[in-house]
Amino acid sequence: MSVPHTASAPYELRGMRVTDHRFTVPLDHSMPDGETITVFAREYSDAELPQAEAAQLPWLLYLQGGPGGKGSRLLSLSGWTKAASKYFRILMLDQRGTGLSAPANRQTLPLRGDAAAQADYLTHFRADSIVADAELIREALGSEPWTTYGQSYGGFCTLTYLSFAPHGLRESLITGGLAPLTGSADRVYQATFRRVAARNAEYFAKYPQDRGITTRIARHLEDVPEFLSSGERLTVRRFQMVGSFLGGNTRVDGLHLLLQEAFVPTPHSDRLSDTFLETVHGLVSRAANPLYALMHESIYGQGAATGWAAERVLKEFPAFRPDADEPLYTGEMVYPWYFDEDPALVPLKETAELLAARKNWPALYDTAQLALNTVPVAAAVYTDDIYVDRDLSLETAGMVKGLQVWESADFHHDGITDDGEGIFNRLLAMVRGEL
């Protein structure tokens, strides 16, 4: 099936040659003649290469983390993109529902109708549809089987690609993104709660003074109304979400710097500073990526409802409760109360409830096909990753024939931010038998 495709004239930006692409694809790939949406992708190549020479390079498709994350907006070639541009034209995909690809949020979703219609629409925004888009895009570009690079959720999408369209792949690289192929969402959160608890312990051992500050902030928020710039009161459980800092080597120390600026004296009493509150707002708001909250648990849904798994599993880990004596920071968990407290999500509460209750999610992986895989695949697994559990990742690796694992304790989930060039080069060498 060929799909309509338009491309901008190439333009240069800080050493990059950039082209914007738009593709018209089916909303529902089982109905190719039905409703369509527009999917956007941006092509990057090294401007030092003559245009004709760059056009002969093979394609690399980058699959972003998420769900709900748009393709990176590059301002220069650096890190892994600098390394990749030596060998490839890079295609940075806005996965459907993000960026310029039929964005789905509180503003656009009401166009679909009521909450039930919105939920039905969003069932077409998981990895199976993203992969089907990618295959139509590859064909529209006239590409041979291409290389994919999947970070985090992009790795989940890669496993779906290997399951249902391996003919479209030359080789695949994955960083922090080996999804569990079977089982319920509950075991994912049981594993990640344990990882996040261990990471909290590591953090407070490094910055013991921050244990007291964290508890002080929690107790303060219980007693004193403090408001974010979007107007809502900051609750303890929402403050705990700044534990997103704990997911990286390059970001973890930022939590310490944030806590140093928490309180300021005022004429009446110490209050949380505007600087602190504004930074927290940027960390806990889902205005820029509402699909993360709406669709996050669905990425583990196969044949059964997820039913707010993180909320259910939380009961097994009382140290994460906001009223714990010394509450811990949380990680990559989504709870139903998000849709009560975040203004970007409040209008989508009923839609989220319908998605959580949905039972008939189709399979995202074909374990039989993966057991017969012939596509070269290399994956970086981070030993202490709080977002994608190491043990579940290695379980998955063992179910994909020929998948090579490089495990490292030197990086966390943001490894490609820490040393993107080195990690990319290593994985590429692995799939090409050079390492």
Side-chain angles (χ1 to χ4, degrees), residues 362-407:
L364 290 168
Y365 313 109
D366 183 337
T367 55
Q369 174 60 44
L370 293 172
L372 300 172
N373 175 61
T374 59
V375 177
V377 188
V381 173
Y382 306 128
T383 303
D384 301 308
D385 194 331
I386 68 169
Y387 294 144
V388 181
D389 179 70
R390 176 257 188 197
D391 294 341
L392 294 179
S393 295
L394 295 183
E395 174 189 285
T396 293
M399 298 172 70
V400 181
K401 185 177 180 181
L403 188 152
Q404 301 179 71
V405 170
W406 169 52
E407 182 178 351

mmCIF file of all heavy atoms in Angstrom, residues 362-407:
data_model
loop_
_atom_site.group_PDB
_atom_site.id
_atom_site.type_symbol
_atom_site.label_atom_id
_atom_site.label_comp_id
_atom_site.label_asym_id
_atom_site.label_seq_id
_atom_site.Cartn_x
_atom_site.Cartn_y
_atom_site.Cartn_z
ATOM 1 N N PRO A 362 -5.254 -6.196 21.962
ATOM 2 C CA PRO A 362 -4.598 -7.241 21.166
ATOM 3 C C PRO A 362 -3.142 -7.429 21.578
ATOM 4 O O PRO A 362 -2.555 -6.581 22.263
ATOM 5 C CB PRO A 362 -4.695 -6.701 19.733
ATOM 6 C CG PRO A 362 -4.785 -5.215 19.881
ATOM 7 C CD PRO A 362 -5.529 -4.978 21.174
ATOM 8 N N ALA A 363 -2.571 -8.540 21.152
ATOM 9 C CA ALA A 363 -1.172 -8.836 21.470
ATOM 10 C C ALA A 363 -0.249 -7.817 20.829
ATOM 11 O O ALA A 363 -0.455 -7.390 19.689
ATOM 12 C CB ALA A 363 -0.819 -10.238 21.005
ATOM 13 N N LEU A 364 0.769 -7.439 21.573
ATOM 14 C CA LEU A 364 1.788 -6.521 21.058
ATOM 15 C C LEU A 364 3.030 -7.255 20.580
ATOM 16 O O LEU A 364 3.872 -6.661 19.895
ATOM 17 C CB LEU A 364 2.185 -5.525 22.158
ATOM 18 C CG LEU A 364 1.112 -4.499 22.534
ATOM 19 C CD1 LEU A 364 1.496 -3.778 23.812
ATOM 20 C CD2 LEU A 364 0.903 -3.503 21.396
ATOM 21 N N TYR A 365 3.164 -8.522 20.940
ATOM 22 C CA TYR A 365 4.362 -9.293 20.575
ATOM 23 C C TYR A 365 3.948 -10.687 20.109
ATOM 24 O O TYR A 365 2.935 -11.236 20.559
ATOM 25 C CB TYR A 365 5.310 -9.409 21.780
ATOM 26 C CG TYR A 365 5.529 -8.097 22.485
ATOM 27 C CD1 TYR A 365 4.994 -7.858 23.749
ATOM 28 C CD2 TYR A 365 6.244 -7.068 21.872
ATOM 29 C CE1 TYR A 365 5.163 -6.645 24.387
ATOM 30 C CE2 TYR A 365 6.418 -5.848 22.501
ATOM 31 C CZ TYR A 365 5.876 -5.636 23.755
ATOM 32 O OH TYR A 365 6.037 -4.434 24.379
ATOM 33 N N ASP A 366 4.752 -11.236 19.226
ATOM 34 C CA ASP A 366 4.579 -12.610 18.753
ATOM 35 C C ASP A 366 5.787 -13.394 19.250
ATOM 36 O O ASP A 366 6.866 -13.328 18.663
ATOM 37 C CB ASP A 366 4.489 -12.629 17.227
ATOM 38 C CG ASP A 366 4.231 -14.010 16.662
ATOM 39 O OD1 ASP A 366 4.542 -15.005 17.337
ATOM 40 O OD2 ASP A 366 3.732 -14.103 15.522
ATOM 41 N N THR A 367 5.603 -14.091 20.358
ATOM 42 C CA THR A 367 6.754 -14.777 20.967
ATOM 43 C C THR A 367 7.299 -15.878 20.067
ATOM 44 O O THR A 367 8.500 -16.155 20.093
ATOM 45 C CB THR A 367 6.376 -15.350 22.344
ATOM 46 O OG1 THR A 367 5.235 -16.206 22.203
ATOM 47 C CG2 THR A 367 6.051 -14.230 23.320
ATOM 48 N N ALA A 368 6.428 -16.506 19.270
ATOM 49 C CA ALA A 368 6.910 -17.546 18.346
ATOM 50 C C ALA A 368 7.816 -16.932 17.285
ATOM 51 O O ALA A 368 8.873 -17.492 16.952
ATOM 52 C CB ALA A 368 5.725 -18.260 17.700
ATOM 53 N N GLN A 369 7.415 -15.793 16.748
ATOM 54 C CA GLN A 369 8.242 -15.123 15.743
ATOM 55 C C GLN A 369 9.561 -14.650 16.358
ATOM 56 O O GLN A 369 10.631 -14.786 15.752
ATOM 57 C CB GLN A 369 7.496 -13.928 15.152
ATOM 58 C CG GLN A 369 8.314 -13.059 14.188
ATOM 59 C CD GLN A 369 8.818 -13.829 12.991
ATOM 60 O OE1 GLN A 369 8.085 -14.614 12.398
ATOM 61 N NE2 GLN A 369 10.085 -13.620 12.622
ATOM 62 N N LEU A 370 9.497 -14.102 17.560
ATOM 63 C CA LEU A 370 10.713 -13.619 18.202
ATOM 64 C C LEU A 370 11.680 -14.771 18.491
ATOM 65 O O LEU A 370 12.902 -14.592 18.435
ATOM 66 C CB LEU A 370 10.371 -12.875 19.492
ATOM 67 C CG LEU A 370 9.615 -11.552 19.300
ATOM 68 C CD1 LEU A 370 9.155 -10.989 20.642
ATOM 69 C CD2 LEU A 370 10.461 -10.530 18.554
ATOM 70 N N ALA A 371 11.162 -15.937 18.768
ATOM 71 C CA ALA A 371 12.017 -17.103 19.017
ATOM 72 C C ALA A 371 12.725 -17.563 17.750
ATOM 73 O O ALA A 371 13.733 -18.284 17.825
ATOM 74 C CB ALA A 371 11.184 -18.242 19.590
ATOM 75 N N LEU A 372 12.218 -17.126 16.595
ATOM 76 C CA LEU A 372 12.825 -17.473 15.305
ATOM 77 C C LEU A 372 13.531 -16.278 14.672
ATOM 78 O O LEU A 372 13.947 -16.354 13.505
ATOM 79 C CB LEU A 372 11.738 -17.986 14.343
ATOM 80 C CG LEU A 372 10.974 -19.239 14.787
ATOM 81 C CD1 LEU A 372 9.808 -19.498 13.833
ATOM 82 C CD2 LEU A 372 11.893 -20.442 14.854
ATOM 83 N N ASN A 373 13.684 -15.202 15.407
ATOM 84 C CA ASN A 373 14.202 -13.946 14.860
ATOM 85 C C ASN A 373 15.519 -14.131 14.105
ATOM 86 O O ASN A 373 16.409 -14.869 14.544
ATOM 87 C CB ASN A 373 14.416 -12.949 16.005
ATOM 88 C CG ASN A 373 15.071 -11.672 15.543
ATOM 89 O OD1 ASN A 373 14.528 -10.968 14.712
ATOM 90 N ND2 ASN A 373 16.257 -11.387 16.069
ATOM 91 N N THR A 374 15.644 -13.430 12.978
ATOM 92 C CA THR A 374 16.893 -13.438 12.211
ATOM 93 C C THR A 374 17.485 -12.041 12.049
ATOM 94 O O THR A 374 18.549 -11.884 11.462
ATOM 95 C CB THR A 374 16.671 -14.043 10.814
ATOM 96 O OG1 THR A 374 15.671 -13.273 10.115
ATOM 97 C CG2 THR A 374 16.216 -15.498 10.912
ATOM 98 N N VAL A 375 16.786 -11.013 12.571
ATOM 99 C CA VAL A 375 17.281 -9.636 12.468
ATOM 100 C C VAL A 375 18.337 -9.420 13.544
ATOM 101 O O VAL A 375 18.097 -9.709 14.716
ATOM 102 C CB VAL A 375 16.130 -8.629 12.653
ATOM 103 C CG1 VAL A 375 16.659 -7.194 12.614
ATOM 104 C CG2 VAL A 375 15.047 -8.842 11.603
ATOM 105 N N PRO A 376 19.515 -8.905 13.200
ATOM 106 C CA PRO A 376 20.514 -8.602 14.240
ATOM 107 C C PRO A 376 19.992 -7.534 15.200
ATOM 108 O O PRO A 376 19.535 -6.469 14.775
ATOM 109 C CB PRO A 376 21.708 -8.084 13.432
ATOM 110 C CG PRO A 376 21.516 -8.630 12.049
ATOM 111 C CD PRO A 376 20.039 -8.657 11.837
ATOM 112 N N VAL A 377 20.056 -7.832 16.493
ATOM 113 C CA VAL A 377 19.562 -6.911 17.518
ATOM 114 C C VAL A 377 20.579 -6.844 18.644
ATOM 115 O O VAL A 377 21.094 -7.873 19.094
ATOM 116 C CB VAL A 377 18.206 -7.380 18.112
ATOM 117 C CG1 VAL A 377 17.638 -6.293 19.034
ATOM 118 C CG2 VAL A 377 17.213 -7.729 17.031
ATOM 119 N N ALA A 378 20.859 -5.631 19.116
ATOM 120 C CA ALA A 378 21.710 -5.426 20.288
ATOM 121 C C ALA A 378 21.002 -4.474 21.234
ATOM 122 O O ALA A 378 20.438 -3.468 20.796
ATOM 123 C CB ALA A 378 23.072 -4.872 19.893
ATOM 124 N N ALA A 379 21.041 -4.804 22.520
ATOM 125 C CA ALA A 379 20.323 -4.000 23.503
ATOM 126 C C ALA A 379 21.218 -3.666 24.678
ATOM 127 O O ALA A 379 21.908 -4.538 25.216
ATOM 128 C CB ALA A 379 19.081 -4.750 23.997
ATOM 129 N N ALA A 380 21.197 -2.402 25.086
ATOM 130 C CA ALA A 380 21.833 -1.981 26.328
ATOM 131 C C ALA A 380 20.835 -2.148 27.457
ATOM 132 O O ALA A 380 19.716 -1.624 27.403
ATOM 133 C CB ALA A 380 22.278 -0.527 26.235
ATOM 134 N N VAL A 381 21.220 -2.901 28.470
ATOM 135 C CA VAL A 381 20.405 -3.101 29.669
ATOM 136 C C VAL A 381 21.159 -2.473 30.831
ATOM 137 O O VAL A 381 22.325 -2.800 31.077
ATOM 138 C CB VAL A 381 20.152 -4.599 29.934
ATOM 139 C CG1 VAL A 381 19.451 -4.788 31.278
ATOM 140 C CG2 VAL A 381 19.322 -5.199 28.801
ATOM 141 N N TYR A 382 20.499 -1.565 31.538
ATOM 142 C CA TYR A 382 21.135 -0.855 32.639
ATOM 143 C C TYR A 382 20.776 -1.541 33.963
ATOM 144 O O TYR A 382 19.592 -1.685 34.296
ATOM 145 C CB TYR A 382 20.711 0.609 32.637
ATOM 146 C CG TYR A 382 20.962 1.300 31.310
ATOM 147 C CD1 TYR A 382 19.953 2.002 30.658
ATOM 148 C CD2 TYR A 382 22.210 1.208 30.687
ATOM 149 C CE1 TYR A 382 20.185 2.622 29.439
ATOM 150 C CE2 TYR A 382 22.450 1.818 29.467
ATOM 151 C CZ TYR A 382 21.435 2.526 28.846
ATOM 152 O OH TYR A 382 21.666 3.126 27.631
ATOM 153 N N THR A 383 21.771 -1.961 34.689
ATOM 154 C CA THR A 383 21.588 -2.811 35.864
ATOM 155 C C THR A 383 20.602 -2.233 36.870
ATOM 156 O O THR A 383 19.778 -2.956 37.431
ATOM 157 C CB THR A 383 22.948 -3.048 36.552
ATOM 158 O OG1 THR A 383 23.859 -3.623 35.604
ATOM 159 C CG2 THR A 383 22.804 -3.979 37.749
ATOM 160 N N ASP A 384 20.662 -0.936 37.099
ATOM 161 C CA ASP A 384 19.842 -0.318 38.140
ATOM 162 C C ASP A 384 18.743 0.581 37.577
ATOM 163 O O ASP A 384 18.270 1.496 38.252
ATOM 164 C CB ASP A 384 20.740 0.490 39.084
ATOM 165 C CG ASP A 384 21.805 -0.375 39.738
ATOM 166 O OD1 ASP A 384 21.431 -1.417 40.306
ATOM 167 O OD2 ASP A 384 22.995 -0.024 39.666
ATOM 168 N N ASP A 385 18.319 0.307 36.355
ATOM 169 C CA ASP A 385 17.289 1.105 35.687
ATOM 170 C C ASP A 385 15.993 1.049 36.492
ATOM 171 O O ASP A 385 15.448 -0.024 36.735
ATOM 172 C CB ASP A 385 17.062 0.541 34.281
ATOM 173 C CG ASP A 385 16.284 1.476 33.373
ATOM 174 O OD1 ASP A 385 15.468 2.258 33.880
ATOM 175 O OD2 ASP A 385 16.500 1.408 32.147
ATOM 176 N N ILE A 386 15.476 2.206 36.908
ATOM 177 C CA ILE A 386 14.245 2.212 37.703
ATOM 178 C C ILE A 386 12.996 2.237 36.829
ATOM 179 O O ILE A 386 11.875 2.133 37.348
ATOM 180 C CB ILE A 386 14.194 3.395 38.696
ATOM 181 C CG1 ILE A 386 14.058 4.732 37.973
ATOM 182 C CG2 ILE A 386 15.388 3.376 39.620
ATOM 183 C CD1 ILE A 386 13.731 5.894 38.904
ATOM 184 N N TYR A 387 13.150 2.392 35.527
ATOM 185 C CA TYR A 387 11.995 2.456 34.633
ATOM 186 C C TYR A 387 11.736 1.138 33.914
ATOM 187 O O TYR A 387 10.593 0.737 33.730
ATOM 188 C CB TYR A 387 12.183 3.571 33.606
ATOM 189 C CG TYR A 387 12.194 4.960 34.191
ATOM 190 C CD1 TYR A 387 13.016 5.950 33.668
ATOM 191 C CD2 TYR A 387 11.384 5.287 35.274
ATOM 192 C CE1 TYR A 387 13.026 7.224 34.209
ATOM 193 C CE2 TYR A 387 11.386 6.554 35.810
ATOM 194 C CZ TYR A 387 12.209 7.532 35.275
ATOM 195 O OH TYR A 387 12.219 8.787 35.808
ATOM 196 N N VAL A 388 12.780 0.486 33.467
ATOM 197 C CA VAL A 388 12.654 -0.799 32.765
ATOM 198 C C VAL A 388 13.541 -1.787 33.502
ATOM 199 O O VAL A 388 14.769 -1.737 33.413
ATOM 200 C CB VAL A 388 13.060 -0.668 31.281
ATOM 201 C CG1 VAL A 388 12.896 -2.004 30.576
ATOM 202 C CG2 VAL A 388 12.198 0.400 30.582
ATOM 203 N N ASP A 389 12.911 -2.677 34.231
ATOM 204 C CA ASP A 389 13.614 -3.544 35.177
ATOM 205 C C ASP A 389 14.633 -4.447 34.493
ATOM 206 O O ASP A 389 14.358 -5.067 33.461
ATOM 207 C CB ASP A 389 12.587 -4.397 35.921
ATOM 208 C CG ASP A 389 13.222 -5.341 36.909
ATOM 209 O OD1 ASP A 389 13.734 -4.860 37.931
ATOM 210 O OD2 ASP A 389 13.238 -6.555 36.634
ATOM 211 N N ARG A 390 15.789 -4.549 35.117
ATOM 212 C CA ARG A 390 16.886 -5.348 34.570
ATOM 213 C C ARG A 390 16.513 -6.816 34.439
ATOM 214 O O ARG A 390 16.770 -7.456 33.415
ATOM 215 C CB ARG A 390 18.109 -5.163 35.469
ATOM 216 C CG ARG A 390 19.309 -6.011 35.085
ATOM 217 C CD ARG A 390 19.485 -7.205 36.002
ATOM 218 N NE ARG A 390 20.745 -7.896 35.716
ATOM 219 C CZ ARG A 390 21.004 -9.118 36.117
ATOM 220 N NH1 ARG A 390 20.117 -9.787 36.836
ATOM 221 N NH2 ARG A 390 22.170 -9.674 35.825
ATOM 222 N N ASP A 391 15.901 -7.422 35.453
ATOM 223 C CA ASP A 391 15.594 -8.848 35.409
ATOM 224 C C ASP A 391 14.548 -9.161 34.350
ATOM 225 O O ASP A 391 14.669 -10.155 33.617
ATOM 226 C CB ASP A 391 15.113 -9.323 36.783
ATOM 227 C CG ASP A 391 16.210 -9.240 37.841
ATOM 228 O OD1 ASP A 391 17.399 -9.168 37.462
ATOM 229 O OD2 ASP A 391 15.872 -9.250 39.037
ATOM 230 N N LEU A 392 13.523 -8.308 34.246
ATOM 231 C CA LEU A 392 12.531 -8.519 33.202
ATOM 232 C C LEU A 392 13.139 -8.316 31.824
ATOM 233 O O LEU A 392 12.779 -9.009 30.862
ATOM 234 C CB LEU A 392 11.347 -7.578 33.407
ATOM 235 C CG LEU A 392 10.494 -7.807 34.667
ATOM 236 C CD1 LEU A 392 9.375 -6.787 34.748
ATOM 237 C CD2 LEU A 392 9.939 -9.223 34.700
ATOM 238 N N SER A 393 14.075 -7.384 31.722
ATOM 239 C CA SER A 393 14.749 -7.152 30.435
ATOM 240 C C SER A 393 15.541 -8.378 29.995
ATOM 241 O O SER A 393 15.492 -8.785 28.822
ATOM 242 C CB SER A 393 15.686 -5.948 30.532
ATOM 243 O OG SER A 393 14.974 -4.756 30.762
ATOM 244 N N LEU A 394 16.264 -8.964 30.930
ATOM 245 C CA LEU A 394 17.060 -10.144 30.580
ATOM 246 C C LEU A 394 16.159 -11.335 30.257
ATOM 247 O O LEU A 394 16.491 -12.159 29.395
ATOM 248 C CB LEU A 394 18.017 -10.480 31.712
ATOM 249 C CG LEU A 394 19.103 -9.433 31.991
ATOM 250 C CD1 LEU A 394 20.034 -9.916 33.106
ATOM 251 C CD2 LEU A 394 19.907 -9.120 30.727
ATOM 252 N N GLU A 395 15.018 -11.428 30.922
ATOM 253 C CA GLU A 395 14.047 -12.469 30.568
ATOM 254 C C GLU A 395 13.617 -12.319 29.117
ATOM 255 O O GLU A 395 13.573 -13.297 28.360
ATOM 256 C CB GLU A 395 12.829 -12.363 31.486
ATOM 257 C CG GLU A 395 11.682 -13.286 31.121
ATOM 258 C CD GLU A 395 10.439 -12.980 31.933
ATOM 259 O OE1 GLU A 395 10.418 -13.333 33.128
ATOM 260 O OE2 GLU A 395 9.494 -12.387 31.367
ATOM 261 N N THR A 396 13.310 -11.100 28.723
ATOM 262 C CA THR A 396 12.908 -10.841 27.339
ATOM 263 C C THR A 396 14.034 -11.142 26.372
ATOM 264 O O THR A 396 13.823 -11.754 25.315
ATOM 265 C CB THR A 396 12.444 -9.385 27.190
ATOM 266 O OG1 THR A 396 11.249 -9.205 27.937
ATOM 267 C CG2 THR A 396 12.206 -9.019 25.736
ATOM 268 N N ALA A 397 15.234 -10.724 26.714
ATOM 269 C CA ALA A 397 16.379 -10.968 25.829
ATOM 270 C C ALA A 397 16.529 -12.451 25.527
ATOM 271 O O ALA A 397 16.856 -12.846 24.398
ATOM 272 C CB ALA A 397 17.654 -10.426 26.462
ATOM 273 N N GLY A 398 16.256 -13.284 26.526
ATOM 274 C CA GLY A 398 16.376 -14.718 26.330
ATOM 275 C C GLY A 398 15.305 -15.299 25.437
ATOM 276 O O GLY A 398 15.424 -16.455 24.995
ATOM 277 N N MET A 399 14.257 -14.523 25.150
ATOM 278 C CA MET A 399 13.154 -15.000 24.318
ATOM 279 C C MET A 399 13.254 -14.518 22.875
ATOM 280 O O MET A 399 12.405 -14.850 22.046
ATOM 281 C CB MET A 399 11.824 -14.558 24.919
ATOM 282 C CG MET A 399 11.563 -15.117 26.310
ATOM 283 S SD MET A 399 10.101 -14.427 27.126
ATOM 284 C CE MET A 399 8.774 -15.137 26.134
ATOM 285 N N VAL A 400 14.277 -13.716 22.576
ATOM 286 C CA VAL A 400 14.465 -13.193 21.216
ATOM 287 C C VAL A 400 15.739 -13.804 20.644
ATOM 288 O O VAL A 400 16.847 -13.498 21.110
ATOM 289 C CB VAL A 400 14.554 -11.651 21.209
ATOM 290 C CG1 VAL A 400 14.715 -11.139 19.774
ATOM 291 C CG2 VAL A 400 13.324 -11.040 21.872
ATOM 292 N N LYS A 401 15.595 -14.646 19.662
ATOM 293 C CA LYS A 401 16.740 -15.358 19.109
ATOM 294 C C LYS A 401 17.782 -14.371 18.580
ATOM 295 O O LYS A 401 17.462 -13.455 17.832
ATOM 296 C CB LYS A 401 16.299 -16.287 17.981
ATOM 297 C CG LYS A 401 17.422 -17.147 17.427
ATOM 298 C CD LYS A 401 16.924 -18.104 16.354
ATOM 299 C CE LYS A 401 18.063 -18.969 15.814
ATOM 300 N NZ LYS A 401 17.573 -19.893 14.749
ATOM 301 N N GLY A 402 19.014 -14.585 18.994
ATOM 302 C CA GLY A 402 20.120 -13.795 18.469
ATOM 303 C C GLY A 402 20.284 -12.429 19.093
ATOM 304 O O GLY A 402 21.212 -11.699 18.734
ATOM 305 N N LEU A 403 19.410 -12.044 20.030
ATOM 306 C CA LEU A 403 19.541 -10.715 20.629
ATOM 307 C C LEU A 403 20.765 -10.683 21.542
ATOM 308 O O LEU A 403 20.909 -11.503 22.439
ATOM 309 C CB LEU A 403 18.278 -10.366 21.417
ATOM 310 C CG LEU A 403 18.168 -8.927 21.954
ATOM 311 C CD1 LEU A 403 16.705 -8.508 22.072
ATOM 312 C CD2 LEU A 403 18.857 -8.743 23.301
ATOM 313 N N GLN A 404 21.643 -9.713 21.287
ATOM 314 C CA GLN A 404 22.851 -9.551 22.087
ATOM 315 C C GLN A 404 22.618 -8.478 23.157
ATOM 316 O O GLN A 404 22.096 -7.408 22.856
ATOM 317 C CB GLN A 404 24.019 -9.119 21.203
ATOM 318 C CG GLN A 404 24.350 -10.073 20.074
ATOM 319 C CD GLN A 404 25.501 -9.526 19.240
ATOM 320 O OE1 GLN A 404 26.653 -9.494 19.677
ATOM 321 N NE2 GLN A 404 25.185 -9.075 18.034
ATOM 322 N N VAL A 405 23.014 -8.793 24.375
ATOM 323 C CA VAL A 405 22.837 -7.861 25.493
ATOM 324 C C VAL A 405 24.184 -7.303 25.918
ATOM 325 O O VAL A 405 25.164 -8.047 26.067
ATOM 326 C CB VAL A 405 22.170 -8.563 26.690
ATOM 327 C CG1 VAL A 405 22.222 -7.671 27.937
ATOM 328 C CG2 VAL A 405 20.729 -8.923 26.364
ATOM 329 N N TRP A 406 24.209 -6.006 26.106
ATOM 330 C CA TRP A 406 25.321 -5.359 26.793
ATOM 331 C C TRP A 406 24.751 -4.766 28.075
ATOM 332 O O TRP A 406 23.978 -3.836 28.057
ATOM 333 C CB TRP A 406 25.944 -4.258 25.929
ATOM 334 C CG TRP A 406 26.907 -3.395 26.697
ATOM 335 C CD1 TRP A 406 27.957 -3.798 27.467
ATOM 336 C CD2 TRP A 406 26.890 -1.956 26.786
ATOM 337 N NE1 TRP A 406 28.598 -2.723 28.020
ATOM 338 C CE2 TRP A 406 27.964 -1.580 27.623
ATOM 339 C CE3 TRP A 406 26.077 -0.974 26.239
ATOM 340 C CZ2 TRP A 406 28.234 -0.248 27.925
ATOM 341 C CZ3 TRP A 406 26.338 0.360 26.539
ATOM 342 C CH2 TRP A 406 27.416 0.712 27.370
ATOM 343 N N GLU A 407 25.081 -5.369 29.205
ATOM 344 C CA GLU A 407 24.601 -4.863 30.481
ATOM 345 C C GLU A 407 25.651 -3.950 31.098
ATOM 346 O O GLU A 407 26.844 -4.277 31.106
ATOM 347 C CB GLU A 407 24.275 -5.997 31.456
ATOM 348 C CG GLU A 407 23.714 -5.482 32.776
ATOM 349 C CD GLU A 407 23.322 -6.573 33.747
ATOM 350 O OE1 GLU A 407 23.322 -7.755 33.360
ATOM 351 O OE2 GLU A 407 23.017 -6.235 34.911
#
